[in-house]
Structure formats: structure tokens, C-alpha cells
Amino acid sequence: MTYVGASIPGRNNRRSAAGAATYVDDIRPDGCLVMAVVRSPHAHARIRSVDTSAGHDLDGVALVLTGEELRDAGIAIHPSGTNVNFTPRTAVRHVLAVDKVRYVGEPVAAVVARDYVTARAAAQAVLVAYETLPALGDARAALKPGAVLVEESWPDNVMVDYPIARGDADAVLAATPPSGRTSGTLVCNRVAATPLEGRGIIADYNPYDETMTCWASTQAPHVLRALLSAALSFPEGNLRVIQPQVGGAFGGKIPMFPEDVITAYASRRLGRPVKWIEQRDEYLSAGGHSRDMRCDYEVAFEPDGRITALKAGLLADVGAQSTFLGWLMAIVSAACMPGSYVVDHVSIRLRAVVSNRGPWQAYRGYGKEVAAFFMERILDDVARAAGLGRDAVRTRNFISPSHFPFVQPSGWVTDSGDYQGTLEAVQELIGWDDFPARQAAARADGRYLGIGIGHELTPEGSSRPDALLNGTDSATVKMTPRGDVTVLTGVTSPGSGNETGIAQIVAECLGADLDRVRVLQGDTQSAPHGNGNYSSRSLTFGGSSARLAALVIREKLEIVAGRMLNADRADLEVTGHRIRSRASGQSVTFDEVAAEIYRKPHGRHMAGIDPALEATRAFKIDNVYHRKDEDGRYNQYPTWSFSTGACIVEVTPETGDVRIEKFALVHDCGVVVNPLLAEAQLHGAIMQGIGASLYEEIVYDDDAIPQTPTLREYTLPGIRESVDIVLGHRSTPSPFTFMGMKGVGESGISAPGPAIASAIDDALADFGVRMTTMPFTPARVWAAIQTARSAGRGE
Amino acid sequence: MPASFAAPRTLPELLTELDGEATILAGGMTIMPLLNRGIGRAGKIVSLSGIPALRGIARSGDSVRFGAMATHSEIASDPIVAEHVPILATAAAGIGDVQVRNRGTIGGVAAYGNAGADYVTALTALGARVVVASRRGSREVAFDRFVLGLRRTDLARDEVIVAVEVPSTSGGRTAFERYFRVQGAAPTITAAAVLMPDRGRLAVGGATPTPVIVELGREFDLAATLDAVDEACAGRPFGDAHNPAPYRRAMARNFAARVLRHAREEQPC
Ligand SMILES: Cc1cc2nc3c(=O)[nH]c(=O)nc-3n(C[C@H](O)[C@H](O)[C@H](O)COP(=O)(O)OP(=O)(O)OC[C@H]3O[C@@H](n4cnc5c(N)ncnc54)[C@H](O)[C@@H]3O)c2cc1C
């Protein structure tokens, strides 16, 4: 039986579809209290006083917490972790604001009460006196000389200044005639992951045995346990974190949030369970955003489209900082340029700047989508300036399959790829060659159709040095006395179905019957240590660890079965939960071997054998360099999936409205374990990519006040906006992983932005429009047409 | 604070509850999200759900009378509406999603007076009248004088909308247009045209705090009408993060042109 490569429906499907899953808010420990958070209405203000008396006095209120109390209790989050290539400015983070607030939505106080209505009323009764300070509405305001400081211990608002260089881009640009150069500005605006289920945690401190149990909608229970233990100075061994079913995460639930610490602190103080469930407006202001980057670029190219030099200034508005580490996405954006393309002379400078916008939090794409948007728009610009096809310019500049592993100017090492392969396949799927005729016919009818492509690179398996989110994970495989297999993994599932893929790998490697393999995840008390779910690593790390553990079990089963069958191990065939001697044709089932091991440890087949039918193994991935080596290699991404997207759009010039007629994507994530689940991931990722391209944007005004506080303003695409998606698969196996898996999950979110931009430009070629700011809302597309018209370009 | 909640069964009972402090709850599609976020007065909630007198859609002379609690779904599928004010059925069918249409009411939309709301524009073009009652008595107001500004209406805190009366457009040509970004978001622009044998009116919502109105004669000049829309928008700009004022102004002109074109192409009904 071959399980790897089979489209087996996700094991969580029935439960989720039936509404029978247990989410954190469904858990109701006896006597549970509810927490509400008092948040800053100001973008930047000094806290003059916090008067909690009116809140305390309300009937049903158990506790009101302030920043001062937590600070005096010694609760503060200290900077940790090592960074290579750059040094970020850091500061101690308070989970409830002390002295000042730095963004709208920052937690200032917390109220714990018998129910949410009471907690909410008490939160409204907490009186905070603020003295407002000038607020920085965006990164450019934050960079102005004399700008107010968000972090008062810093000399300015620059958190990271990270230069990347290879060759001499300035010299090449200077030596290139104007006809061989182009330049421009690109902007990728803020978005929020917006999972269906918001954040949430229950902390239950037991004062008698001094343990604490937390149920959290998190991606990484072990990591949350370690971070909470450090924050609260609470023994890690007495802390248990359980991840119930999670209703979507997309990076947005990588720990740790201020609310996690506050809830756990409150429970410990009260000796009672305390629950905090996020409201949607809290999420949109304080749950963390991503993107929000600008790129000023200059490129030099040869007449044949080969790019000879790239110079880019990247400006990231990472907002005010909190306890979570989304700002690292800006590093990934910079380090993934030029990405899929060989450019000999590169000069990139990233400045990540703090402002009074909300903090960043990880979101699917993790900065790679920004790099893809910038690079692909630059490639389109070169195609236009050189008078060449958009596909031809990509072909000309792609890293060729023989050049892998390829060291990026950042030092990151791209493992393998065949970019031309996905490009050609997607052109076929979308009907690239036939399109011009269709386009001309539609144009004659007064309709504006356009076609576009966008290539994305999705490095996966993020393995950061000196961090709990690193290049390993562990799994336990065990067999019961009756022959059932249990797998416990350190990776978790945010609803994506990786437990199904892991079960397939274990069943395959063990020779087990898939129906008898159960995968358990998400409980620090039972699962071995792991980093959880992020960076599409659940199969490459979790599956590979489980495979190693399964092989240990298999070896033991084979030895004992060999003795039972009087056969050599080499003669054995293991499949379908049965071990068979090829020579004699005799066989024993796993059930019989397990019974032999458990029931007759002193029997004749068990001499010299440790009877444990349980093994834990940790897979440590290759192609990670945590110290810069002599060749400049420093790499945190072992595997690099990629895909090329293409789409056909129709634009209505009078309104600027863009409708996607068809979206095709050919992806390459190496070997696919379960095509059905991989496609489900890709469908979701593409829709999120389309959302961020056309509909979604977190907007702040010049005073850093959110303009999109609810889902009424933060317009997510719905079923009406869903599009016809066509997928294609290719496989360029990674040389560094089991079977060549690379990881899927993030893939597909990056290509839509540049592909749609490219298609809009194509549709509006008569006007000479170039879409440079994402999302391409009707108002922006319309404005671009007006600008092009008044500049006398086109019609 | 736990709110007090009343669900009167009759109009007189309702009026005694409306003491100037009460917050009226109709379909709740607008007010509940606001109250949940701590916006608005939640101390005393008075629900209109239990009052049969506020329901129903019926002919009343040359008009159609909509009880304030007539839902969007009812309006979208009512045969009287389809015959006498078809654009109101079109407007109702386009609102939000089916859950919102099943609960949201015409009275709630009228009372909230949001810029660009489908009915606000349609009722303005249709020359509707609002019937309002309180302990002090009842009165009737022309809808275009009832909506005073952005989410501001001529409704005192002790008053309730009882019904909306809409003149039949039978024998005229009418059209309604809406332009929106995603399902569930407020429409960017709504436009309604009512061309009767003896009078005509264009209303465009979404580019200004209250709808732009252009009265149209038997014959009218399209270009001049559009210029009038444009001028009105320039004088009272309205916009938000995704749809800034200059964009809305341009769309007002576009959709005014569309709706007039469609109305002219209509067969008189
Ligand atoms: C997801 C979503 C999408 C939507 N999309 C659209 C759309 O596309 N187009 C559109 O036009 N609208 C849209 N709406 C708004 C919708 O039409 C609401 O139903 C409407 O605005 C309010 O009606 P309601 O009956 O729900 O009123 P409620 O929410 O109950 O009340 C609204 C306000 O009016 C007051 N009020 C209600 N009834 C009366 C009365 N009889 N007398 C006096 N005061 C009263 C209330 O006190 C409150 O202030 C949408 C709403 C949602 C939630």
C-alpha cells in the first residue's frame, strides 16, 4: 500500500464540517472568570494616571490589573535571540502599557469578572488620564528629522538598518545609458491575517499542586509554554499548554501575545481559571498586521532583458513593537531579493522603522510576498522599458536549474528549482499564446481584458539561530499491545490537516495500515518538544521526525518477527500491518508481533531486546547555516518552494473595478505527500493573495488612527469574490529532505499580487497605466487611469 | 451594565416606553454591532419585533405603505412592491447578504440615514414620506427632508418610525443602480431614477452625506443633469479610506448616467 502521494481526505474534515470541533471558547472550566482588556484609544500618549476604583467597585469584578502592578511584579519581556547580518534596536516590552501608549489598541489595563458583560462594563469604568503626544502616522513621518520618538531610549525611530550588497550596483548603474535603466516606487500596504477564529486563551492555576494548565488558540504550545514560563517566572515543568482545535492561524497565532501573559498572571493571582477571547475589533487594531513596505528601485539591464544591477531602498513600517516578533518579516523581504533571478550587482538597504501604527505579526507569506511583489513589478518594468515580453525577461534572468544550491546576495541558500518549468506550465494552463486574439476581440467590443504573470519564491522551514522556532522538531511513535500505532508530534495543525499527511508518512515507513495510525498533537503533557506549526514545516520537520521514530519501531518489529518466522531480516516484506517472509511465504501481523513483545518480554524471541515499543526522534534539517561561513552563507531557510501564477482580468475603466476571470497557478513544493490537502492549502493561499491584492487594507490616517476598525471597513473577500482557480503541480525535489519534500501552506499567497498588477497593466495598456500600490482598489485603478490621462500617456 | 429590555405588543404600549432614553431595536443589523462595541446607549432597549401593527406591506391609495418592520427580504419578494415600486424590490434584493435581509428593516434604514444606503437613495428618488409617532402625536415628513445629514435624521429621541409611504411609480419608468466592492460592505454609490409622465427625479447616494437630488422635467438634458450631480458632490464631499471623495464624486456622475440611461430604456410599467 502506497500512502505517500495519495489524496486522502483530511482527518479533521468531518469534525470541522459538523461544527463538532472544540475551540478554546468552547472550553468552560468550572468557576471560570472572563477577562476584558482596556485598550488605548490614542496612537501616542503619556499615561498620567489609571484610576481603577470604579471598575473594582462593580458587582462581579474579581480583579483589575494595571501596567504598574505587572511591572512591580517583575513581569516584563526581555529581548532575546540572535540575529546575524544586522542588529535590531530593542527594548523591554510591557504586557500592559507603562508610562505611555504607542498605538491604538495597546493594552493598558485588564479586568477579570464573572462574565464578559461585567468585565466589559468594568473595563469602561477604568479611568485612564492621557496626555496626547504627536503621533507618527507612517514610516516616512517617523524618519523625518526631529520626529517624536516612539522608543524614547533610542536615538531615532529606526529599528533595523540592514544593507545587502553583491558586486557594485552603483558603478554599473552609472555606466549604463538611460535607455538601459529604469526606476520607480512600489508600495505594498498593510493587511491582517484575519482567521475565522480570533485569538484566545484560558489559564487555570491550581494553587494546591502549583500547576497551571492553559488552553490556547496557538500555533506552538511548547514555545508558548517556554515563553510564558520565562515571563511569569513559573516553573516550565508545572505548566501545561494545550492547543484545542484552532480555527485558522496563518502565522497570526505564533506566540506570545501580551494577553497570554496577562491572563496567566490573573489566574495565578486569583487561583481560578481565567478566559480571554479576542473580539474582532481588538484583533484588527492590536492582533498584528503585516506588509506595509515601500521600495524605491533602480535597475540596469541589457537590451536582451538581462538585469545587470539592482539597487533598492526598502522602507518597512513595522509599527510600535509588542511582545510578538512580526518585524522579522521585513528582513525576509529584503533577504529574498532578487530571489528567483541572477543579478550580479545588487545593493539593497532595508530600514525597518517604528511608528504609531500597530505592531506586525507573522502572516502567511512572512515577507516573501512583499519581495515577490517588488521583484515581479520590477521585472515587468524592465520588460516594458526593454520592449520585451514579460515572460522573456523572466526566462532571461531566472536562476537556471544547474546553478543550485544558489547563494543569494543575502547569504541565504536556495536549495533547488526549475522556475522556467512552472512558468511554461502556467502559460499553458492560462492560455497565454491564444490570449492576444481574445484580448483584441474584446477590445473591439469595448471591453478591457488583460493577462498577467507573477512568480513567487517561498522559502520554507524557517530555522532561526538561538530561537525556539528553529531547524528541528521531534515526534514519538508508539505501538500498543494490540498493535495500534500512536504518533505524537511537536508540530501542530491550525486546521490545515497535517495530521493526515503525517499519518500517511508513518503508515508508509512503518508498513502499517493507515487506519490504525492515530496522530496526536498540541499538548505539552503528551507530545514531545516541538516548535509547532509555521513556515510550512509540518511535513518536512514533523513528518520527517515521525519517519525516523517509525523506523526505530519497524526495526524492532522486524527483528522479533524474523525470529518468530525463522527468517532473515533481509528476507522480510513489511506492508499492510503484516510482516512476511518471502522465502517461506509465512507471515505474522503487527498485532501478533506487538503481543509477543508486550506479553512475552522474557520469551524466546525477545533475548537481548529492550521491550519498549516507543521511540522519539528529532529530525534536524540540512542546508541551515547559523554562522556566516567563508562563502558568506548564512541560511535559515532549508527548502525553497516556488510557483508561477497567471491570471486574466477584466477592468472597467469608468469605475476602476477589476474582475478576475481565471487564476492559474503551477506550484513546485518537491514531493507532494497528499495532493488533495496541498491543493486545499493552495486554494486558500491564492484567495488570501487575491484578498490582499484587491480588497483588504488596514488603513491609518496621518495621526495613526485606524480607519478600518471592523470587518465593515476591512473588506475581506467573500464567496461572491471567489474565483475560478486552476492548479498545476511540478516537482523539483529538495536534495536536503526526506523524499525531497519542501513544504506547502504558504505557497500561492505571493503570486496573485504581481500577477493581478501585471494583468491590470496589460488590460489598460492603451492608457499607459502601471499599478504600483497594492491593493489595487477600484479607487486606485481609477486614479491611475486619470493620472495616466493627464500625463498624456495613452488614450 | 445589564440593559433593561422591553418588547411591547402594541403601538400605544410602545409609545409609553419611548421616554427619550430608550434605544429602539428593529432588525438589529446596524445597532447590535454598535452596542457590542460599546457605541450608543445600551441602558434601555425597546424592541419593535412584537408589534404586529408595524409589519406588513399594503396598497394605500396611490401609494404603497410599508410597515417600519417590513424586512428587506419581504420587500424584495412582495408582489405589490414588484408591481408598484419595482426599484425598491431591486434595492432590497441587493442589500448585504441573506441573513441581513431577513432581519434588516426599512424603518431601521430610514432611521439610521446612512450615506449611500440603498433605500435612502431609492426613497429619496421616489418621493417617499415617513410616518413618525410619539406620545406627543404623529406626523408625516417627506423623506428628502427627513434625512438631514450623515446618519442624522429629523427624528426626536422619543419618536418611532411607524411606516414609510411610497407613491406608486406605475405608468413611469424607473431604474436603480448600486456599485459596491465586496459583499457585506456598504455600497460605494447608489443611484435611482424615477421618470413619471408629469415629473422626474434623480437621486444619487454615497458621494455626499445625504443624497444628491436633481429634479427632472418631462425632457431633460443628460449632460446638464450630470453636471448638476457633479457640482452638488463637489460642494458636499464625502469619502472614506477605500473610497475617497474625488473617486465617489466621479462614480456619482457615472452611475447617474447609467441609471438615467436604464430608466429611459425601461418600458413604462
Ligand atoms: C453585513 C451587513 C451588510 C449590510 N449591507 C447593506 C447594504 O448593502 N446596503 C444597505 O443599505 N444597508 C446594508 N446594511 C444595513 C442594513 O440594511 C440594516 O438592516 C439597516 O441599516 C438597519 O436596519 P435594522 O432593522 O437592522 O435596524 P437596527 O439595527 O435595529 O436599527 C438601526 C437604527 O435605527 C433605529 N431604528 C430602527 N428602527 C426604527 C424605527 N422604526 N423608528 C425609529 N428608529 C428606529 C435604531 O434605534 C438604530 O439606531 C448591512 C448591514 C450588515 C450587518
Side-chain angles (χ1 to χ4, degrees):
Chain A
M1 184 73 211
T2 314
Y3 294 118
V4 169
S7 280
I8 291 164
R11 292 183 161 193
N12 61 348
N13 290 358
R14 284 160 50 90
R15 182 177 72 211
S16 305
T22 303
Y23 298 90
V24 63
D25 198 21
D26 298 323
I27 297 165
R28 315 237 149 114
D30 278 349
C32 192
L33 300 169
V34 175
M35 185 174 93
V37 178
V38 179
R39 294 178 185 276
S40 171
H42 300 294
H44 201 189
R46 255 180 234 303
I47 299 172
R48 281 296 167 222
S49 63
V50 182
D51 178 357
T52 61
S53 51
H56 268 301
D57 293 347
L58 284 179
D59 189 31
V61 172
L63 182 66
V64 184
L65 292 172
T66 64
E68 273 186 19
E69 166 168 351
L70 292 189
R71 181 198 57 198
D72 294 347
I75 293 185
I77 313 300
H78 293 275
S80 73
T82 305
N83 295 290
V84 180
N85 292 330
F86 63 92
T87 308
R89 289 212 181 99
T90 57
V92 172
R93 302 284 161 219
H94 298 287
V95 294
L96 287 173
V98 171
D99 298 334
K100 76 169 190 175
V101 289
R102 298 155 306 131
Y103 61 96
V104 171
E106 180 165 2
V108 176
V111 178
V112 180
R114 67 175 166 228
D115 55 34
Y116 183 71
V117 172
T118 311
R120 180 69 179 252
Q124 276 165 1
V126 171
L127 297 176
V128 186
Y130 295 101
E131 178 189 322
T132 57
L133 295 165
L136 300 171
D138 63 24
R140 282 193 291 172
L143 276 183
K144 287 213 175 96
V148 65
L149 293 176
V150 178
E151 296 294 339
E152 287 169 15
S153 61
W154 298 2
D156 55 37
N157 290 309
V158 179
M159 182 172 178
V160 177
D161 194 335
Y162 172 27
I164 295 171
R166 170 174 285 173
D168 190 342
D170 281 317
V172 174
L173 280 162
T176 306
S179 62
R181 291 196 311 250
T182 184
S183 63
T185 296
L186 300 163
V187 177
C188 195
N189 279 315
R190 247 175 208 249
V191 295
T194 333
L196 269 181
E197 182 208 24
R199 299 177 293 152
I201 186 169
I202 300 169
D204 185 1
Y205 175 67
N206 179 329
Y208 306 105
D209 52 15
E210 295 175 354
T211 57
M212 177 136 55
T213 303
C214 296
W215 292 263
S217 185
T218 182
Q219 287 173 242
H222 283 95
V223 178
L224 179 56
R225 179 174 71 162
L227 295 175
L228 266 182
S229 159
L232 297 169
S233 305
F234 191 88
E236 198 172 358
N238 291 17
L239 189 54
R240 174 181 180 190
V241 177
I242 302 169
Q243 177 215 52
Q245 173 109 353
V246 170
F250 311 111
K253 292 173 181 172
I254 294 177
M256 173 181 71
F257 296 106
E259 294 87 351
D260 297 331
V261 182
I262 307 166
T263 309
Y265 176 88
S267 175
R268 188 166 60 163
R269 250 204 71 177
L270 294 166
R272 287 181 63 178
V274 177
K275 175 189 275 191
W276 174 73
I277 299 294
E278 179 176 63
Q279 304 295 309
R280 189 62 69 180
D281 56 346
E282 294 183 285
Y283 172 74
L284 286 171
S285 66
H289 308 140
S290 76
R291 307 193 182 188
D292 206 348
M293 265 176 100
R294 183 188 161 90
C295 170
D296 293 293
Y297 68 88
E298 255 183 285
V299 280
F301 56 87
E302 300 278 326
D304 67 358
R306 192 171 67 83
I307 297 174
T308 51
L310 166 67
K311 185 172 181 181
L314 305 180
L315 182 59
D317 186 335
V318 296
Q321 293 306 294
S322 179
T323 60
F324 37 106
L325 298 179
W327 62 270
L328 280 162
M329 292 185 285
I331 305 297
V332 176
S333 298
C336 285
M337 289 173 72
S340 308
Y341 305 102
V342 182
V343 181
D344 290 337
H345 300 274
V346 175
S347 164
I348 292 168
R349 182 183 177 198
L350 163 72
R351 279 174 304 165
V353 173
V354 294
S355 73
N356 295 112
R357 295 182 170 207
W360 282 17
Q361 164 69 339
Y363 176 27
R364 199 176 205 171
Y366 204 76
K368 303 152 206 170
E369 74 296 348
V370 174
F373 178 62
F374 292 164
M375 283 313 303
E376 294 302 296
R377 288 276 67 197
I378 291 171
L379 268 281
D380 277 3
D381 191 13
V382 169
R384 183 197 52 82
L388 297 167
R390 289 168 290 174
D391 51 348
V393 169
R394 284 168 174 84
T395 302
R396 170 77 57 212
N397 289 285
F398 275 145
I399 306 168
S400 81
S402 58
H403 278 117
F404 293 100
F406 180 85
V407 182
Q408 299 279 342
S410 57
W412 292 10
V413 184
T414 307
D415 62 331
S416 62
D418 175 8
Y419 305 148
Q420 186 65 23
T422 50
L423 172 62
E424 285 173 12
V426 85
Q427 286 182 298
E428 182 75 35
L429 274 187
I430 200 81
W432 185 265
D433 291 339
D434 304 334
F435 183 73
R438 252 198 85 197
Q439 184 179 37
R443 193 64 197 82
D445 265 0
R447 292 172 59 201
Y448 291 78
L449 300 191
I451 195 166
I453 38 174
H455 184 77
E456 71 170 63
L457 201 51
T458 321
E460 296 297 19
S462 180
S463 308
R464 290 183 25 76
D466 187 21
L468 282 178
L469 305 177
N470 58 33
T472 182
D473 219 288
S474 53
T476 300
V477 174
K478 46 190 182 182
M479 186 172 277
T480 64
R482 290 169 56 81
D484 285 346
V485 181
T486 307
V487 186
L488 292 148
T489 72
V491 299
T492 57
S493 171
S496 59
N498 65 46
E499 64 273 34
T500 309
I502 292 169
Q504 287 172 255
I505 291 174
V506 168
E508 175 102 20
C509 296
L510 195 55
D513 179 348
L514 182 63
D515 289 339
R516 297 190 60 189
V517 179
R518 224 171 112 74
V519 178
L520 301 174
Q521 303 172 306
D523 185 345
T524 57
Q525 186 154 294
S526 52
H529 177 82
N531 305 344
N533 161 264
Y534 62 92
S535 204
S536 309
R537 62 194 290 284
S538 299
L539 292 192
T540 44
F541 290 74
S544 300
S545 302
R547 167 182 171 263
L548 294 177
L551 293 179
V552 176
I553 302 299
R554 176 169 171 154
E555 182 180 4
K556 194 166 287 184
L557 294 175
E558 286 184 6
I559 292 170
V560 176
R563 293 180 185 176
M564 290 166 77
L565 295 168
N566 210 359
D568 268 1
R569 261 188 82 195
D571 170 46
L572 298 176
E573 193 179 77
V574 188
T575 178
H577 237 68
R578 181 179 286 277
I579 303 176
R580 186 175 147 270
S581 159
R582 287 190 196 85
S584 70
Q586 304 249 295
S587 68
V588 283
T589 62
F590 279 13
D591 314 34
E592 288 162 345
V593 183
E596 189 73 21
I597 293 171
Y598 275 99
R599 301 173 74 96
K600 301 177 189 163
H602 300 286
R604 62 195 169 103
H605 299 313
M606 288 294 288
I609 294 179
D610 164 0
L613 263 186
E614 174 165 342
T616 299
R617 286 293 180 274
F619 174 72
K620 189 173 132 185
I621 204 160
D622 213 348
N623 196 33
V624 171
Y625 300 86
H626 275 175
R627 274 164 303 157
K628 229 177 170 142
D629 73 3
E630 54 280 12
D631 301 322
R633 283 184 297 196
Y634 157 75
N635 191 29
Q636 71 180 58
Y637 283 108
T639 67
W640 296 58
S641 298
F642 56 93
S643 44
T644 314
C647 65
I648 294 172
V649 303
E650 176 162 4
V651 185
T652 311
E654 305 89 75
T655 58
D657 199 44
V658 177
R659 197 179 57 80
I660 298 175
E661 181 187 288
K662 179 174 175 185
F663 196 99
L665 184 99
V666 176
H667 81 110
D668 187 329
C669 63
V671 168
V672 179
V673 173
N674 184 326
L676 189 68
L677 293 179
E679 291 197 358
Q681 288 299 303
L682 288 163
H683 274 266
I686 291 167
M687 266 321 290
Q688 285 187 314
I690 290 172
S693 303
L694 295 177
Y695 307 110
E696 300 173 41
E697 182 177 355
I698 295 279
V699 182
Y700 283 88
D701 72 6
D702 291 345
D703 298 316
I705 303 299
Q707 303 297 300
T708 44
T710 77
L711 291 182
R712 208 69 174 129
E713 298 85 22
Y714 187 75
T715 38
L716 288 167
I719 196 70
R720 193 190 70 100
E721 289 76 33
S722 71
V723 304
D724 182 14
I725 293 171
V726 188
L727 293 176
H729 304 274
R730 287 178 58 86
S731 174
T732 313
S734 168
F736 301 112
T737 61
F738 166 58
M739 294 187 319
M741 293 187 288
K742 288 183 174 177
V744 69
E746 291 196 278
S747 296
I749 200 167
S750 308
I756 293 167
S758 185
I760 297 171
D761 286 7
D762 185 47
L764 300 177
D766 289 358
F767 299 92
V769 158
R770 283 153 64 193
M771 294 313 301
T772 53
T773 299
M774 189 143 86
F776 322 114
T777 57
R780 279 204 183 99
V781 174
W782 177 82
I785 294 170
Q786 311 313 309
T787 308
R789 272 188 176 144
S790 60
R793 298 208 295 268
E795 269 189 352
Chain B
M1 221 82 57
S4 89
F5 182 85
R9 313 286 307 173
T10 66
L11 205 51
E13 269 174 52
L14 167 67
L15 297 183
T16 51
E17 291 286 356
L18 298 182
D19 54 4
E21 292 303 315
T23 294
I24 291 174
L25 175 65
M29 293 295 94
T30 294
I31 196 72
M32 284 314 298
L34 294 176
L35 294 180
N36 283 340
R37 288 167 61 207
I39 300 170
R41 303 196 218 185
K44 177 175 182 184
I45 308 284
V46 177
S47 166
L48 306 187
S49 305
I51 307 169
L54 295 180
R55 301 216 159 260
I57 300 167
R59 291 283 320 262
S60 141
D62 280 345
S63 292
V64 179
R65 184 183 166 97
F66 296 84
M69 289 298 282
T71 65
H72 308 331
S73 294
E74 287 162 3
I75 294 171
S77 59
D78 189 283
I80 299 173
V81 183
E83 193 187 335
H84 291 281
V85 262
I87 62 167
L88 211 52
T90 310
I95 295 174
D97 44 48
V98 70
Q99 293 93 325
V100 170
R101 292 195 291 275
N102 281 344
R103 290 206 60 88
T105 66
I106 192 169
V109 177
Y112 195 56
N114 205 5
D118 294 81
Y119 292 155
V120 169
T121 303
L123 293 176
T124 301
L126 288 163
R129 294 176 306 276
V130 184
V131 184
V132 169
S134 72
R135 282 186 281 197
R136 295 172 286 131
S138 69
R139 62 192 178 105
E140 242 182 77
V141 201
F143 190 75
D144 54 24
R145 279 197 303 266
F146 179 74
V147 181
L148 301 174
L150 181 63
R151 294 178 212 129
R152 207 155 52 77
T153 59
D154 172 26
L155 192 69
R157 282 215 56 102
D158 64 347
E159 284 181 318
V160 60
I161 297 175
V162 176
V164 178
E165 301 230 352
V166 183
S168 166
T169 55
S170 204
R173 303 162 194 253
T174 58
F176 182 79
E177 286 282 331
R178 78 195 305 261
Y179 177 56
F180 67 116
R181 287 187 56 230
V182 300
Q183 186 176 318
T188 308
I189 291 290
T190 44
V194 176
L195 306 178
M196 300 304 290
D198 56 337
R199 65 190 155 86
R201 192 181 242 197
L202 166 73
V204 184
T208 45
T210 62
V212 169
I213 301 172
V214 184
E215 306 290 355
L216 306 169
R218 253 185 113 77
E219 300 293 321
F220 60 88
D221 178 49
L222 182 65
T225 308
L226 299 184
D227 286 345
V229 170
D230 195 56
E231 207 172 301
C233 295
R236 298 190 292 144
F238 168 74
D240 61 11
H242 293 309
N243 297 296
Y247 176 69
R248 288 180 185 261
R249 177 178 161 192
M251 293 311 109
R253 191 187 179 103
N254 274 340
F255 283 86
R258 278 193 204 192
V259 81
L260 288 171
R261 200 170 58 234
H262 289 159
R264 278 177 159 170
E265 288 163 2
E266 274 285 300
Q267 292 300 319
C269 64

